[in-house]
Amino acid sequence: MGRLTDAQVAQFKTDGVLVAEGVLDDSDLAPIIEGYTRWIEAKAQELAIPDQASNEPFERRFARLHAQNKDIERGMDVMNARLPEFFAFLHCQNLLDAVQQLLGTPELIASPIQHLRGKVADTSEGSYFNVPWHQDAAVTWEEADHSEIITCWLPLVDATVENGCMEILPGVWKQGVLPHIGGAGGATIRPDALPEVAPLIAAVKKGGVVFMHRCTPHHSTPNLTDTVRWSLDLRFQPTGTPTGRPWQPSFVVRSEANPESVETDYNAWVAAWVEALSKPAPQKSAHRTG
Ligand SMILES: O=C(O)CCC(=O)C(=O)O
């Protein structure tokens, strides 16, 4: 146990961000890539996209398909696609070992705020792919303000400046939740409240993970290449703490105190999301743009 060094843990505690290479093995990520390769194949056929680009590798095919028909991205996010490989990955030992080190507890739940992003070239502001400056705490209800939620952002291909890695403001988490406003790309920090801190350019290789405190401002930069910047952003937190999204499912992924409480039933996870998505979203938005 222990993918991170003491120095890395200390750095995270100071900066509220840690770019850690080599946390995951290729074998941790291969099933997700296989699962989404299968999903894209089925969707491309369903949409009868003229050029199926079947010979292109994972890091290119989706871009070729998306250029022809943007509907290829519909239903791709994790709670809609609900791939068994993704459910399994939420229990990834290498990832949870690191999260346990950073949070200091083996009692962990997966937050329902989880996304897969297939980021293609698109320089337009307000694009889903070019997420503006925000803190993840600003997309939860206030009930989660004291929950130690940790964001794990991990690429499925090398994330570079060219393909749109993230930029992150170190040390700013200490200022708490900053005022956000609504924007085309989602909740964004009010421009006059954005601290003047030199951003950390979070380029990271496949297998690496960018860990962030919930109050760490970050945004994503445009993909300027013809390849896809594939990534997952997942959040974990101590069991028993509010997620700030009580209408969406969270569940235990690790427990030493009560190992039977770990949710290993894929069908139960699917059913929980199907039920949550069938209900209207609560009137009070998760986005604090007030
Ligand atoms: O992946 C991206 O481009 C943005 C991710 C992000 O903003 C987040 O994980 O909160």
Side-chain angles (χ1 to χ4, degrees), residues 2 11 77 97 153 214 249:
Q11 190 186 349
D77 207 351
D97 284 353
W153 187 97
R214 66 193 180 286

Side-chain angles (χ1 to χ4, degrees), residues 6-290:
D6 290 349
Q8 286 176 309
V9 174
Q11 190 186 349
F12 178 79
K13 294 206 162 130
T14 306
D15 291 345
V17 54
L18 174 70
V19 180
E21 300 283 2
V23 175
L24 306 169
D25 298 330
D26 270 355
S27 58
D28 292 324
L29 298 174
I32 301 260
I33 293 172
E34 276 161 32
Y36 271 100
T37 299
R38 196 177 67 236
W39 187 92
I40 289 164
E41 170 70 28
K43 191 80 172 177
Q45 287 189 19
E46 180 196 316
L47 294 171
I49 296 183
D51 174 4
Q52 291 276 309
S54 310
N55 294 329
E56 292 285 14
F58 181 65
E59 50 278 16
R60 260 180 212 283
R61 187 177 186 197
F62 180 73
R64 291 270 306 275
L65 296 166
H66 192 267
Q68 300 172 73
N69 188 341
K70 293 196 175 8
D71 283 349
I72 187 79
E73 75 194 37
R74 288 170 77 105
M76 193 176 74
D77 207 351
V78 294
M79 70 294 290
N80 303 116
R82 299 189 286 270
L83 300 186
E85 293 88 348
F86 175 76
F87 175 70
F89 185 73
L90 287 172
H91 303 81
C92 172
Q93 296 303 311
N94 284 333
L95 184 60
L96 295 183
D97 284 353
V99 172
Q100 176 170 339
Q101 282 182 281
L102 295 173
L103 289 180
T105 174
E107 307 303 319
L108 299 172
I109 58 170
S111 152
I113 310 176
Q114 307 152 348
H115 297 290
L116 170 91
R117 296 176 206 253
K119 175 156 140 163
V120 295
D122 182 353
T123 50
S124 55
E125 222 180 281
S127 151
Y128 162 75
F129 294 123
N130 299 325
V131 180
W133 283 109
H134 68 283
Q135 297 165 307
D136 283 354
V139 296
T140 63
W141 282 356
E142 289 83 352
E143 61 163 36
D145 276 357
H146 299 290
S147 303
E148 292 300 333
I149 304 171
I150 194 162
T151 297
C152 306
W153 187 97
L154 56 107
L156 304 178
V157 295
D158 292 352
T160 62
V161 171
E162 294 75 28
N163 71 11
C165 66
M166 284 204 297
E167 290 187 341
I168 301 172
L169 302 187
V172 171
W173 66 274
K174 294 173 191 142
Q175 298 184 26
V177 185
L178 299 168
H180 284 65
I181 54 172
T188 183
I189 297 172
R190 215 177 58 209
D192 63 290
L194 187 66
E196 288 188 21
V197 170
L200 172 76
I201 314 291
V204 62
K205 289 196 167 44
K206 179 182 172 191
V209 181
V210 180
F211 297 99
M212 284 184 291
H213 184 278
R214 66 193 180 286
C215 290
T216 291
H218 55 284
H219 78 154
S220 76
T221 56
N223 182 351
L224 305 174
T225 74
D226 61 358
T227 63
V228 187
R229 195 227 63 197
W230 287 107
S231 61
L232 286 172
D233 47 277
L234 314 175
R235 289 149 193 85
F236 298 93
Q237 58 189 93
T239 302
T241 58
T243 65
R245 299 268 185 112
W247 65 99
Q248 293 177 336
S250 58
F251 61 93
V252 177
V253 288
R254 171 172 283 194
S255 175
E256 278 178 15
N258 188 6
E260 310 81 58
S261 64
V262 174
E263 181 61 90
T264 54
D265 183 350
Y266 166 68
N267 293 322
W269 176 72
V270 168
W273 268 113
V274 169
E275 195 197 341
L277 294 173
S278 72
K279 293 185 183 152
Q283 277 198 324
K284 181 179 166 178
S285 167
H287 287 227
R288 298 189 206 179
T289 53

